[in-house]
Amino acid sequence: MILKNLKRFIPIRYVLGLLLMVMINVFLFFGTYYITCSYEKKAMEQLTSNVEKQCSMLADQVSLNGISAYNMTNISGDRGSNLDYMEKLANDIGGRVLIVDSNFQIVSDTYNTNNGQFYVTGDLIQAFMGEDTGYSYVGDDYVQVISCVYNQESGDICALVLAQASVKRIRDIPQSLEDERGALVGGFVWISLVLTMILGLWFGM
C-alpha cells in the first residue's frame, strides 16, 4: 500500500534519474580519488629516486674533492666549480642543497642563510649511524633525501648531503584533477537530466 502511494507521488523516471546521478557522482569521486592517489604516489617515487641519484653523485664528488672544497664558511679559490654544481642541482630540484659535517655543522647551504650553524635532527643522527632514512617531508612543499659522504681513507661517514626538492608541482596536479572532477560532475548532471526525461517519456508510453 505504501509503495503504491509512493509510486503515485514519485514517478519512477525521477527515481531512476536520481539513482543514476548518485551512481555517477560516487563513481567520479572514487575514480578521481584513486587516480589522484596513484599519480601522487608514482610521481613521488620518481622524484625521490631521481633526487637520490643526484644527491648520491654529489656525495661521491664531496668524498673525492674533500669537504673543504664545498665549505661556504671559508673563502677558498678552488671551490667555485664545485659550488656551481651544487647550485645547479638545487635549481634542478627546485629546492635546496646542504652539506653537514660530522659535527652537525652546516658547511654549505645553497640558500646561503645557515652556513656555519648547527643542524641536528633525528634523520641526521640515524644517517650518521649508517641507517637508511629514506625520504622525509620538510614542511608542506619539500621532500628531503640524505646521502652519506665517506672518508676515502677510513671509510667512515664524514658528512651528509641533504637535498630538499620541491613537491609543489606534484601537489598541484591532484588539485587540477579535483577541479576537472567538478566540471565532469556538472556535465554528467546535465546528461542525467536528459536521460531522466528520456526515461520518463519511455515509461510514459
Side-chain angles (χ1 to χ4, degrees), residues 103-118:
N103 295 317
F104 294 95
Q105 185 177 28
I106 298 174
V107 298
S108 190
D109 176 12
T110 55
Y111 279 4
N112 204 27
T113 56
N114 295 323
N115 292 319
Q117 296 184 15
F118 291 93

Side-chain angles (χ1 to χ4, degrees), residues 5-199:
N5 291 332
L6 286 175
K7 289 179 179 179
R8 184 184 305 170
F9 293 105
I10 306 176
I12 190 172
R13 60 181 179 272
Y14 296 117
V15 175
L16 291 173
L18 179 62
L19 288 174
L20 182 61
M21 283 189 286
V22 170
M23 290 174 62
I24 289 173
N25 281 283
V26 169
F27 173 78
L28 286 174
F29 175 81
F30 285 104
T32 308
Y33 178 79
Y34 174 78
I35 292 172
T36 300
C37 291
S38 298
Y39 167 81
E40 190 167 351
K41 181 180 179 182
K42 185 175 181 180
M44 191 64 69
E45 289 174 350
Q46 291 178 343
L47 173 65
T48 54
S49 176
N50 180 50
V51 174
E52 283 175 354
K53 289 177 182 177
Q54 296 186 67
C55 194
S56 180
M57 289 173 61
L58 176 57
D60 290 341
Q61 288 191 15
V62 175
S63 177
L64 181 64
N65 298 324
I67 300 176
S68 60
Y70 299 84
N71 194 338
M72 289 185 176
T73 62
N74 297 320
I75 298 176
S76 174
D78 62 346
R79 65 177 191 159
S81 61
N82 297 321
L83 295 183
D84 287 343
Y85 181 83
M86 278 187 62
E87 290 173 356
K88 181 179 182 304
L89 173 57
N91 290 330
D92 288 344
I93 64 177
R96 181 184 193 182
V97 179
L98 304 97
I99 297 177
V100 180
D101 66 15
S102 56
N103 295 317
F104 294 95
Q105 185 177 28
I106 298 174
V107 298
S108 190
D109 176 12
T110 55
Y111 279 4
N112 204 27
T113 56
N114 295 323
N115 292 319
Q117 296 184 15
F118 291 93
Y119 184 41
V120 183
T121 67
D123 285 342
L124 295 187
I125 294 173
Q126 290 179 3
F128 270 118
M129 294 174 63
E131 298 179 12
D132 183 14
T133 57
Y135 68 87
S136 58
Y137 289 97
V138 179
D140 295 327
D141 297 326
Y142 294 90
V143 62
Q144 175 178 276
V145 299
I146 301 174
S147 292
C148 297
V149 178
Y150 294 93
N151 184 297
Q152 288 193 316
E153 295 180 359
S154 65
D156 295 332
I157 299 173
C158 59
L160 299 174
V161 174
L162 286 66
Q164 299 173 352
S166 173
V167 295
K168 190 175 184 302
R169 233 178 294 178
I170 295 176
R171 296 278 172 81
D172 287 344
I173 296 297
Q175 184 57 50
S176 67
L177 290 175
E178 292 288 336
D179 296 338
E180 290 180 8
R181 183 182 69 179
L184 286 172
V185 169
F188 276 112
V189 166
W190 281 105
I191 294 174
S192 300
L193 290 174
V194 173
L195 289 175
T196 301
M197 294 175 62
I198 294 174
L199 289 172

